Amino acid sequence: MKKLRFLLLFLVSVASLNAQMKIGDKALMLDDQLQSTIGETTSLNDSKKDNGILVVFSCNTCPFVVGTEDFPGWERQYNQLYATADSLHIGMILVNSNEGKRQGVDSYEEMLKHAEAQHYKMPYVVDVNSTLANIFGAKTTPHAFLLNSEMELVYMGSIDNIWDKDRKEDIPYVYRALNELASH
């Protein structure tokens, strides 16, 4: 049975290397248990609430996550995103799929330290072989995916537009998507 499960997971992973979820697609790996910094394992289904779940691919080190002198980074918004999602009965999970640095700055031990330093309120989990990221089509960190109560994709993209130096106004993409999802 384990060999069959591994083979199926491998085939899904290979097939998804060039794929990306599209709006309306149902997420896979819903019940796969992922090691969490809150001291237990969790899955997408475990972390989902009545109206769905916000999945954010993140890591400990990406300058777009943690920020730089010139860029504030999105991580500073994670706990507020969690509070907003929670108030709308939407779960939230952070997924570290940075396999390239798994033995160093993005190891589970470093994730524990990072989650504590950032006072994360949501589960921060390890995507050991980047399988979940490949299935979702996550290309960067952070990369947000909002799933409805049926675990169908309703939004994917950036948290907001702070990356655009020529922006005329801040546009809170994920906050808008959360509110839209909760209103249906």
Side-chain angles (χ1 to χ4, degrees):
M1 187 65 166
K2 282 187 178 184
K3 286 182 181 180
L4 178 61
R5 186 167 193 262
F6 175 77
L7 179 61
L8 287 173
L9 190 56
F10 175 77
L11 291 173
V12 167
S13 296
V14 169
S16 67
L17 286 176
N18 293 320
Q20 179 170 334
M21 285 183 65
K22 293 174 184 59
I23 300 299
D25 286 354
K26 187 161 180 135
L28 301 175
M29 291 183 60
L30 298 177
D31 292 311
D32 286 46
Q33 294 295 307
L34 303 166
Q35 187 175 19
S36 173
T37 58
I38 57 175
E40 54 191 47
T41 61
T42 191
S43 70
L44 295 182
N45 269 334
D46 292 338
S47 298
K48 177 183 92 165
K49 295 201 174 169
D50 290 343
N51 290 326
I53 186 170
L54 175 62
V55 179
V56 178
F57 289 88
S58 191
C59 68
N60 296 344
T61 57
C62 174
F64 294 106
V65 172
V66 299
T68 65
E69 278 185 31
D70 301 325
F71 182 76
W74 277 284
E75 179 177 55
R76 64 187 168 75
Q77 296 183 50
Y78 288 174
N79 285 332
Q80 182 58 48
L81 272 172
Y82 173 79
T84 299
D86 189 54
S87 74
L88 298 169
H89 307 285
I90 299 169
M92 181 175 170
I93 191 168
L94 298 176
V95 180
N96 184 336
S97 55
N98 193 356
E99 186 180 353
K101 297 183 179 180
R102 184 71 63 225
Q103 300 306 315
V105 292
D106 275 308
S107 67
Y108 179 70
E109 292 73 26
E110 292 300 317
M111 286 175 60
L112 288 169
K113 294 176 193 174
H114 191 79
E116 183 176 344
Q118 297 303 315
H119 307 287
Y120 284 165
K121 308 287 186 216
M122 73 296 296
Y124 183 31
V125 300
V126 181
D127 182 13
V128 176
N129 295 312
S130 303
T131 307
L132 192 61
N134 290 337
I135 287 171
F136 272 68
K139 305 284 189 231
T140 62
T141 55
H143 198 166
F145 294 80
L146 182 59
L147 306 168
N148 65 18
S149 61
E150 301 300 316
M151 300 304 267
E152 298 162 337
L153 185 65
V154 296
Y155 172 84
M156 69 177 168
S158 182
I159 291 171
D160 58 29
N161 69 333
I162 64 170
W163 50 266
D164 183 358
K165 292 184 182 198
D166 297 326
R167 70 186 181 277
K168 303 221 183 314
E169 65 177 303
D170 291 344
I171 303 173
Y173 303 129
V174 169
Y175 289 99
R176 286 181 177 177
L178 289 168
N179 283 299
E180 176 72 20
L181 177 58
S183 70
H184 284 91

